[in-house]
Amino acid sequence: MIRQLNQLGGDYGIVNATFQINTSAKTLTVVPAVQTTPNNFWFAKYDWQACFDLRGYIGFQFELVAPTGSEISFTLTQKSADCVDRLVDSVYVPLTKYITPNGQKQTVLMPFADFSKNINGGNFDFQHLKDWTAVNFSPADGTSQFVFSNLILKGNCSLPATNSQAAQSSAQTSAAPSAAATKASGAEGIKAGAIAGAIAAGLFAL
């Protein structure tokens, strides 16, 4: 199996859809394949060999151009404490909880608090993340495009960094969030560490 690794050693993949990374525009475009009932997903990992510890982070923020009336669900997938076995996913949260897609670029902020439970009602273990997954892109018509850009892994400044690679990259490229972004997050002391022109913490292979 040939893996497409990014600069920080993570990888990503897709099922029943295609994706394209434009390094000039700094975007990721997902086009779902034709399906009567959407059954597709795109995932991104921070470490292809092991788990990733999210405990020092509070959420994802990204920009998205999605068709009017479209939908996506998002989940965090779980590994066991030894990072070997796949366990139960977090709850699945719809895109429309955060925005109403209108065909224009919109900012999406997803607090990890929204993913604190798994689909069985238990607590999600943020220390042992497998990947971040976008599922059931709709419409699944073979032409609709979902364009992601500027994905930021938001850290909580009151907590120590838990992943040295991500912390190093964030330190090298960090930028203070705008007043609007800080207000939208509803929290003080948040830092946004973004890889310039890429999904933060290495989700894009540039």
Side-chain angles (χ1 to χ4, degrees):
M1 177 178 181
I2 298 176
R3 290 186 177 271
Q4 301 180 31
L5 300 184
N6 54 51
Q7 290 180 333
L8 294 182
D11 69 349
Y12 36 72
I14 200 160
V15 170
N16 292 331
T18 61
F19 76 97
Q20 182 177 15
I21 294 173
N22 185 321
T23 56
S24 297
K26 302 177 176 62
T27 59
L28 167 82
T29 300
V30 175
V31 178
V34 176
Q35 292 180 302
T36 302
T37 301
N39 179 22
N40 52 60
F41 63 86
W42 176 80
F43 71 85
K45 297 179 67 176
Y46 291 102
D47 186 331
W48 75 274
Q49 291 181 307
C51 304
F52 187 82
D53 191 342
L54 281 179
R55 290 177 299 171
Y57 304 91
I58 66 166
F60 287 119
Q61 179 177 301
F62 57 92
E63 293 177 339
L64 175 67
V65 179
T68 300
S70 62
E71 185 65 284
I72 314 170
S73 291
F74 296 88
T75 186
L76 302 178
T77 59
Q78 185 78 82
K79 281 284 196 178
S80 57
D82 60 6
C83 297
V84 174
D85 297 321
R86 168 78 177 270
L87 301 182
V88 179
D89 297 350
S90 78
V91 293
Y92 285 65
V93 182
L95 174 67
T96 49
K97 176 181 174 70
Y98 308 105
I99 65 168
T100 300
N102 59 11
Q104 305 298 314
K105 182 180 288 188
Q106 296 171 278
T107 298
V108 183
L109 175 61
M110 291 184 168
F112 287 143
D114 290 348
F115 300 86
S116 61
K117 296 294 184 179
N118 64 39
I119 57 176
N120 290 336
N123 293 329
F124 186 80
D125 177 9
F126 287 99
Q127 185 177 359
H128 301 101
L129 175 73
K130 178 182 179 289
D131 55 50
W132 178 67
T133 304
V135 305
N136 295 341
F137 290 79
S138 177
D141 55 15
T143 59
S144 293
Q145 297 187 352
F146 296 78
V147 184
F148 295 82
S149 61
N150 197 31
L151 196 151
I152 296 169
L153 183 61
K154 284 184 170 289
N156 185 336
C157 291
S158 66
L159 296 176
T162 54
N163 296 277
S164 59
Q165 286 183 313
Q168 180 180 7
S169 293
S170 294
Q172 291 172 349
T173 61
S174 62
S178 66
T182 301
K183 181 178 180 181
S185 69
E188 296 295 330
I190 295 174
K191 63 181 178 180
I195 304 300
I199 283 183
L203 293 190
F204 274 8
L206 299 182

